[in-house]
Amino acid sequence: MFPQIRMRRLRYGKLKEMVRENTLHVSDLIYPFFVDETAEQKTEVSSMPGVFRWPLSQAVDAAREAYDLGIPAVLIFGIPKKKDSEGSSSYGEKDVVQEAVRAIKAEFGKDLIVITDLCMCEYTDHGHCGIVDEKTHDVVNDLTLPILGKIAVSHAKAGADIVAPSGMMDGMIEAIRTALDENGFVNTPIMSYSSKYASVFYGPFRDAADSGFCFGDRSEYQMDPANGDEAILETELDVLEGADILMVKPGMPYLDIVYRIKQEFKMPLAIYQVSGEYAMIKAAAEKGWLDEKKSFYEACLSMKRAGADMIITYYAKELAKILNARQNKSK
Ligand code: PBG
């Protein structure tokens, strides 16, 4: 008790650094970016200043920017030329993600981990994450699973190191694991978007990935933001089906879920600081209301404190620059 105990004693100078519990490292970061088969040149996403859609011919350049900063992994999203009701340009050998992965792996080999977002929503003309029943507009879970398996195999064949299914179909991890194994990809890990909430914070992404939906929303397959316990069962099922890395998405509004999932499963855990989180910080910074760098730094540090091992963030490059500069200073 006071006055014997004074918390402020350790809050000075070097000592404060020595008692610091959590630290961000460049090796925690995953850089997500969009490869657009329809684009001729790099174009900025209007709702996400500083984030671009890269033409296929520049996918390697996008990856290089992360690689040069020491970021160990990229997460690739594809925007196809052609969309249809079955998302059929999601699994071809020469489709956008497959081509991008092949080019990036040819350039960087084992030195850069390539993760692919595995979902149908960017490839379907209705924008939903699966096969839709034309009459009821329901996303039909079990018809979607074999397609997800096919996409996974096509990504692995192109050289993807990790596939990251984000569609929230029941049984998708098992379907993908089985498809990968049957095709000889027994060592390709699955990073499951295991607790993915039906969140308003994905808004700007849908501009970026051109994946808005023409009817309904995703609340019938993504999780209810009101639920916490449910994330435990959702995640447990993914673990049992063979997920190697877990994920909570969005990030900052769901730190309680990150904490609980880490405590419960003690498995590698990623967190996704989503487009809306990025846009909020950007917009406030543009108005001069927040210090941008300090804001994303603190947001990401909070994610580590909550228990995340890896952070997927559109700020990855900016954050890496800060962390690299700090390390050079301390050398
Ligand atoms: C689905 C997917 C989405 C995001 C990542 N993967 C959109 C959605 O579920 O509607 C959102 C990412 C973000 O907001 O940054 N393929």
Side-chain angles (χ1 to χ4, degrees):
M1 280 306 214
F2 183 82
Q4 288 83 0
I5 297 177
R6 289 179 183 267
M7 296 306 287
R8 292 182 53 188
R9 280 185 201 127
L10 304 184
R11 288 187 190 145
Y12 292 97
K14 279 273 168 217
L15 193 51
K16 180 167 171 165
E17 283 174 35
M18 291 178 78
V19 298
R20 182 161 292 149
E21 297 173 40
N22 294 286
T23 321
L24 284 165
H25 302 284
V26 177
S27 60
D28 303 328
L29 302 175
I30 299 174
Y31 172 57
F33 66 91
F34 305 94
V35 183
D36 185 349
E37 204 178 14
T38 69
E40 304 269 303
Q41 60 202 26
K42 176 176 159 186
T43 30
E44 195 167 37
V45 178
S46 59
S47 50
M48 300 172 74
V51 172
F52 296 85
R53 292 188 188 197
W54 297 76
L56 195 45
S57 58
Q58 290 175 34
V60 170
D61 302 331
R64 189 185 312 283
E65 290 188 358
Y67 172 83
D68 283 346
L69 289 162
I71 295 170
V74 294
L75 171 62
I76 299 179
F77 294 91
I79 300 150
K81 241 190 263 164
K82 188 185 110 231
K83 302 192 182 210
D84 60 23
S85 63
E86 314 216 318
S88 59
S89 47
S90 58
Y91 46 74
E93 193 191 334
K94 298 232 150 32
D95 283 332
V96 56
V97 168
Q98 293 77 359
E99 290 281 15
V101 170
R102 221 175 285 119
I104 293 168
K105 287 311 285 185
E107 186 72 15
F108 303 103
K110 287 200 166 71
D111 296 330
L112 185 70
I113 296 168
V114 173
I115 310 170
T116 51
D117 182 77
L118 198 173
C119 191
M120 287 174 63
C121 66
E122 293 118 54
Y123 304 89
T124 52
D125 49 11
H126 45 67
H128 281 286
C129 302
I131 296 292
V132 167
D133 182 309
E134 277 175 23
K135 281 201 206 89
T136 61
H137 278 182
D138 201 29
V139 175
V140 189
N141 195 89
D142 299 10
L143 291 180
T144 303
L145 298 180
I147 301 178
L148 297 179
K150 239 159 111 169
I151 304 174
V153 171
S154 74
H155 287 183
K157 276 190 182 151
D161 297 293
I162 300 176
V163 293
S166 60
M168 290 301 279
M169 294 299 118
D170 288 323
M172 69 177 182
I173 303 303
E174 183 185 32
I176 290 166
R177 185 72 270 159
T178 305
L180 287 172
D181 289 357
E182 282 174 0
N183 285 274
F185 296 106
V186 296
N187 288 321
T188 302
I190 300 174
M191 171 190 269
S192 175
Y193 286 67
S194 45
S195 315
K196 178 171 176 180
Y197 284 85
S199 172
V200 70
F201 296 110
Y202 307 150
F205 174 94
R206 292 177 187 154
D207 291 341
D210 196 16
S211 69
F213 21 75
C214 52
F215 53 82
D217 58 27
R218 302 203 212 291
S219 61
E220 287 174 0
Y221 39 101
Q222 298 178 346
M223 286 180 60
D224 183 347
N227 296 351
D229 291 343
E230 187 192 355
I232 307 286
L233 180 56
E234 245 312 341
T235 305
E236 186 168 359
L237 294 171
D238 283 10
V239 171
L240 295 173
E241 289 175 30
D244 301 279
I245 301 169
L246 308 173
M247 194 195 300
V248 173
K249 178 182 171 190
M252 208 152 75
Y254 294 85
L255 292 182
D256 58 324
I257 307 300
V258 172
Y259 182 80
R260 289 177 69 176
I261 296 295
K262 190 62 179 183
Q263 295 295 312
E264 185 80 22
F265 297 98
K266 316 262 185 240
M267 277 178 64
L269 179 60
I271 184 169
Y272 199 141
Q273 183 186 49
V274 300
S275 55
E277 297 174 74
Y278 176 87
M280 284 196 292
I281 295 176
K282 261 291 173 217
E286 277 182 4
K287 282 195 169 279
W289 292 346
L290 274 179
D291 178 317
E292 183 174 17
K293 288 187 176 149
K294 287 184 178 160
S295 300
F296 65 70
Y297 190 93
E298 185 175 324
C300 292
L301 185 60
S302 309
M303 295 171 190
K304 286 281 304 260
R305 194 190 62 239
D309 302 297
M310 311 164 207
I311 303 172
I312 303 165
T313 169
Y314 302 101
Y315 277 121
K317 288 187 292 182
E318 298 301 310
L319 192 50
K321 283 177 202 159
I322 296 172
L323 297 170
N324 288 336
R326 178 161 311 168
Q327 226 200 346
N328 289 338
K329 219 171 82 190
S330 68
K331 264 183 201 159

Coordinates of all heavy atoms in Angstrom, one line a residue, residues 8-46:
R8 N 4.9 4.4 -9.7 CA 5.7 5.3 -10.6 C 7.2 5.1 -10.6 O 7.9 5.5 -11.5 CB 5.4 6.8 -10.3 CG 3.9 7.2 -10.6 CD 3.6 8.6 -10.3 NE 4.6 9.5 -10.9 CZ 4.7 10.8 -10.7 NH1 3.9 11.4 -9.8 NH2 5.6 11.5 -11.3
R9 N 7.6 4.3 -9.6 CA 9.1 4.1 -9.5 C 9.7 3.5 -10.7 O 10.8 3.7 -11.1 CB 9.4 3.2 -8.3 CG 9.4 3.8 -7.0 CD 9.8 2.8 -5.9 NE 9.3 3.3 -4.6 CZ 8.6 2.6 -3.7 NH1 8.2 1.4 -4.0 NH2 8.2 3.2 -2.6
L10 N 8.9 2.6 -11.4 CA 9.4 1.9 -12.6 C 9.1 2.6 -13.9 O 9.3 2.0 -14.9 CB 8.9 0.5 -12.6 CG 9.2 -0.4 -11.3 CD1 8.7 -1.8 -11.5 CD2 10.7 -0.4 -11.0
R11 N 8.5 3.7 -13.8 CA 8.0 4.4 -15.1 C 9.0 5.4 -15.6 O 8.6 6.3 -16.3 CB 6.6 5.0 -14.8 CG 5.6 3.9 -14.7 CD 4.2 4.4 -14.7 NE 3.3 3.3 -14.3 CZ 2.2 3.4 -13.6 NH1 1.8 4.5 -13.1 NH2 1.5 2.3 -13.3
Y12 N 10.3 5.2 -15.4 CA 11.2 6.2 -15.8 C 12.3 5.6 -16.8 O 12.8 4.5 -16.5 CB 12.0 6.9 -14.6 CG 11.0 7.7 -13.8 CD1 10.4 7.2 -12.7 CD2 10.8 9.0 -14.2 CE1 9.6 8.0 -11.9 CE2 9.9 9.8 -13.4 CZ 9.3 9.3 -12.3 OH 8.5 10.1 -11.6
G13 N 12.6 6.3 -17.8 CA 13.7 6.1 -18.7 C 13.9 4.6 -19.1 O 13.0 3.9 -19.4
K14 N 15.1 4.1 -19.0 CA 15.5 2.8 -19.4 C 14.8 1.7 -18.6 O 14.4 0.6 -19.1 CB 17.0 2.6 -19.2 CG 17.9 3.1 -20.3 CD 18.0 2.1 -21.5 CE 18.6 2.8 -22.7 NZ 18.1 2.3 -23.9
L15 N 14.5 2.0 -17.4 CA 13.9 1.0 -16.5 C 12.5 0.7 -17.0 O 12.0 -0.4 -17.0 CB 13.8 1.6 -15.1 CG 13.4 0.7 -14.0 CD1 14.3 -0.6 -14.0 CD2 13.6 1.4 -12.6
K16 N 11.8 1.7 -17.5 CA 10.5 1.6 -18.1 C 10.5 0.6 -19.2 O 9.7 -0.3 -19.4 CB 10.0 2.9 -18.5 CG 8.6 2.9 -19.1 CD 8.1 4.3 -19.3 CE 6.8 4.3 -20.1 NZ 6.1 5.6 -19.9
E17 N 11.6 0.7 -20.0 CA 11.8 -0.3 -21.2 C 12.0 -1.7 -20.6 O 11.5 -2.7 -21.2 CB 12.9 0.2 -22.1 CG 12.6 1.3 -23.0 CD 13.8 1.8 -23.7 OE1 14.7 1.0 -24.1 OE2 13.9 3.0 -23.9
M18 N 12.8 -1.8 -19.6 CA 13.1 -3.1 -19.1 C 11.9 -3.9 -18.5 O 11.9 -5.1 -18.5 CB 14.2 -3.0 -18.0 CG 15.5 -2.5 -18.6 SD 16.8 -2.4 -17.3 CE 17.2 -4.1 -17.0
V19 N 11.0 -3.1 -18.0 CA 9.8 -3.8 -17.4 C 8.6 -3.9 -18.4 O 7.6 -4.4 -18.1 CB 9.3 -3.2 -16.1 CG1 10.4 -3.2 -15.1 CG2 8.8 -1.7 -16.4
R20 N 8.9 -3.5 -19.6 CA 7.8 -3.5 -20.6 C 7.4 -5.0 -20.9 O 8.2 -5.8 -21.2 CB 8.3 -2.8 -21.9 CG 7.3 -2.7 -23.0 CD 7.7 -1.7 -24.0 NE 7.6 -0.3 -23.4 CZ 8.3 0.7 -23.8 NH1 9.3 0.6 -24.7 NH2 8.2 1.9 -23.2
E21 N 6.1 -5.2 -20.9 CA 5.6 -6.6 -21.1 C 5.5 -7.0 -22.5 O 5.6 -8.2 -22.9 CB 4.3 -6.7 -20.4 CG 4.4 -6.5 -18.9 CD 3.0 -6.5 -18.3 OE1 2.1 -7.3 -18.7 OE2 2.7 -5.7 -17.4
N22 N 5.1 -6.1 -23.4 CA 4.8 -6.5 -24.8 C 5.6 -5.6 -25.8 O 5.7 -4.4 -25.5 CB 3.3 -6.4 -25.1 CG 2.6 -7.5 -24.3 OD1 2.6 -8.6 -24.5 ND2 1.9 -7.0 -23.2
T23 N 6.0 -6.2 -26.9 CA 6.7 -5.4 -27.9 C 6.2 -5.9 -29.3 O 6.0 -7.0 -29.5 CB 8.2 -5.8 -27.8 OG1 8.6 -5.9 -26.4 CG2 9.1 -4.7 -28.4
L24 N 6.2 -4.9 -30.1 CA 5.9 -5.2 -31.5 C 7.2 -5.5 -32.3 O 8.2 -4.9 -32.0 CB 5.2 -4.0 -32.2 CG 3.7 -3.8 -31.8 CD1 3.3 -2.3 -32.3 CD2 2.8 -4.8 -32.5
H25 N 7.1 -6.5 -33.2 CA 8.3 -6.8 -34.0 C 7.8 -6.8 -35.4 O 6.7 -7.2 -35.7 CB 8.8 -8.2 -33.7 CG 9.2 -8.4 -32.2 ND1 10.4 -7.8 -31.8 CD2 8.6 -9.0 -31.2 CE1 10.5 -8.1 -30.5 NE2 9.4 -8.8 -30.1
V26 N 8.7 -6.6 -36.3 CA 8.4 -6.6 -37.8 C 8.0 -8.0 -38.1 O 7.1 -8.2 -39.0 CB 9.6 -6.2 -38.6 CG1 9.3 -6.3 -40.1 CG2 10.0 -4.7 -38.3
S27 N 8.5 -9.0 -37.4 CA 8.2 -10.4 -37.7 C 6.7 -10.8 -37.3 O 6.3 -11.9 -37.6 CB 9.2 -11.4 -37.1 OG 9.2 -11.2 -35.7
D28 N 6.0 -9.8 -36.6 CA 4.6 -10.1 -36.3 C 3.7 -9.7 -37.4 O 2.5 -10.0 -37.4 CB 4.2 -9.2 -35.1 CG 5.0 -9.3 -33.9 OD1 5.5 -10.4 -33.6 OD2 5.2 -8.3 -33.1
L29 N 4.2 -9.0 -38.4 CA 3.3 -8.4 -39.4 C 3.0 -9.1 -40.7 O 3.9 -9.9 -41.2 CB 4.0 -7.0 -39.8 CG 4.2 -6.1 -38.6 CD1 4.9 -4.8 -39.1 CD2 2.9 -5.7 -37.9
I30 N 1.8 -9.0 -41.1 CA 1.4 -9.5 -42.4 C 0.8 -8.4 -43.2 O -0.1 -7.6 -42.7 CB 0.3 -10.6 -42.2 CG1 0.9 -11.8 -41.4 CG2 -0.2 -11.1 -43.5 CD1 -0.1 -12.8 -41.0
Y31 N 1.3 -8.2 -44.4 CA 0.9 -7.1 -45.3 C -0.2 -7.6 -46.3 O 0.1 -8.4 -47.2 CB 2.1 -6.5 -46.0 CG 1.8 -5.5 -47.0 CD1 1.1 -4.4 -46.7 CD2 2.3 -5.7 -48.3 CE1 0.8 -3.4 -47.7 CE2 2.0 -4.7 -49.3 CZ 1.3 -3.6 -49.0 OH 1.0 -2.6 -49.9
P32 N -1.4 -7.1 -46.2 CA -2.4 -7.5 -47.1 C -2.5 -6.6 -48.3 O -2.3 -5.3 -48.2 CB -3.7 -7.3 -46.3 CG -3.4 -6.3 -45.3 CD -1.9 -6.2 -45.1
F33 N -2.6 -7.1 -49.5 CA -2.8 -6.2 -50.7 C -3.7 -6.8 -51.7 O -3.9 -8.0 -51.8 CB -1.5 -5.7 -51.2 CG -0.6 -6.8 -51.8 CD1 -0.7 -7.0 -53.2 CD2 0.3 -7.4 -51.1 CE1 0.1 -8.0 -53.8 CE2 1.2 -8.4 -51.6 CZ 1.1 -8.7 -53.0
F34 N -4.1 -6.0 -52.6 CA -5.1 -6.3 -53.6 C -4.5 -6.4 -55.0 O -3.9 -5.4 -55.4 CB -6.3 -5.3 -53.6 CG -6.9 -5.1 -52.3 CD1 -6.5 -4.1 -51.4 CD2 -7.9 -6.0 -51.9 CE1 -7.0 -4.0 -50.2 CE2 -8.5 -5.8 -50.6 CZ -8.0 -4.8 -49.7
V35 N -4.7 -7.5 -55.7 CA -4.2 -7.6 -57.1 C -5.4 -7.6 -58.0 O -6.3 -8.4 -57.9 CB -3.4 -8.9 -57.3 CG1 -2.8 -8.9 -58.7 CG2 -2.3 -9.0 -56.3
D36 N -5.4 -6.6 -58.9 CA -6.6 -6.4 -59.8 C -6.3 -6.7 -61.2 O -5.5 -6.1 -61.9 CB -7.0 -4.9 -59.6 CG -8.3 -4.6 -60.3 OD1 -8.8 -5.4 -61.1 OD2 -8.7 -3.4 -60.1
E37 N -7.0 -7.8 -61.7 CA -6.8 -8.2 -63.1 C -7.3 -7.2 -64.1 O -6.9 -7.2 -65.2 CB -7.5 -9.5 -63.2 CG -7.0 -10.4 -64.3 CD -7.8 -11.8 -64.4 OE1 -8.9 -11.9 -63.8 OE2 -7.3 -12.7 -65.0
T38 N -8.2 -6.3 -63.6 CA -8.7 -5.4 -64.6 C -7.9 -4.1 -64.6 O -8.2 -3.2 -65.5 CB -10.2 -5.0 -64.2 OG1 -10.2 -4.2 -63.0 CG2 -11.1 -6.2 -64.0
A39 N -7.0 -3.9 -63.7 CA -6.3 -2.6 -63.6 C -5.1 -2.6 -64.6 O -4.4 -3.6 -64.7 CB -5.8 -2.4 -62.2
E40 N -4.8 -1.4 -65.1 CA -3.7 -1.2 -66.0 C -2.5 -0.6 -65.1 O -1.4 -0.8 -65.4 CB -4.0 -0.2 -67.1 CG -5.2 -0.6 -67.9 CD -4.7 -1.4 -69.1 OE1 -3.9 -0.9 -69.9 OE2 -5.2 -2.5 -69.3
Q41 N -3.0 0.2 -64.2 CA -2.0 0.8 -63.3 C -2.5 0.8 -61.8 O -3.6 0.6 -61.6 CB -1.7 2.2 -63.7 CG -2.9 3.1 -63.7 CD -2.7 4.3 -64.6 OE1 -2.0 4.3 -65.6 NE2 -3.4 5.4 -64.3
K42 N -1.5 1.1 -60.9 CA -1.8 1.1 -59.5 C -2.8 2.2 -59.2 O -2.6 3.3 -59.6 CB -0.4 1.3 -58.9 CG -0.3 1.5 -57.5 CD 1.2 1.6 -57.1 CE 1.2 2.3 -55.7 NZ 2.6 2.6 -55.3
T43 N -3.9 1.8 -58.6 CA -4.9 2.8 -58.3 C -5.3 2.8 -56.8 O -5.4 1.8 -56.1 CB -6.3 2.6 -59.0 OG1 -6.4 1.2 -59.2 CG2 -6.3 3.3 -60.3
E44 N -5.4 4.0 -56.2 CA -5.7 4.2 -54.8 C -7.1 3.9 -54.5 O -8.0 4.2 -55.3 CB -5.3 5.6 -54.4 CG -5.2 5.8 -52.9 CD -4.6 7.1 -52.4 OE1 -4.8 8.1 -53.1 OE2 -3.8 7.1 -51.4
V45 N -7.4 3.2 -53.4 CA -8.8 2.9 -53.0 C -9.3 4.2 -52.3 O -8.7 4.7 -51.4 CB -8.8 1.8 -52.0 CG1 -10.2 1.5 -51.5 CG2 -8.2 0.5 -52.6
S46 N -10.4 4.7 -52.8 CA -10.8 6.1 -52.3 C -11.1 6.1 -50.8 O -10.8 7.0 -50.1 CB -12.0 6.6 -53.1 OG -13.1 5.7 -53.0

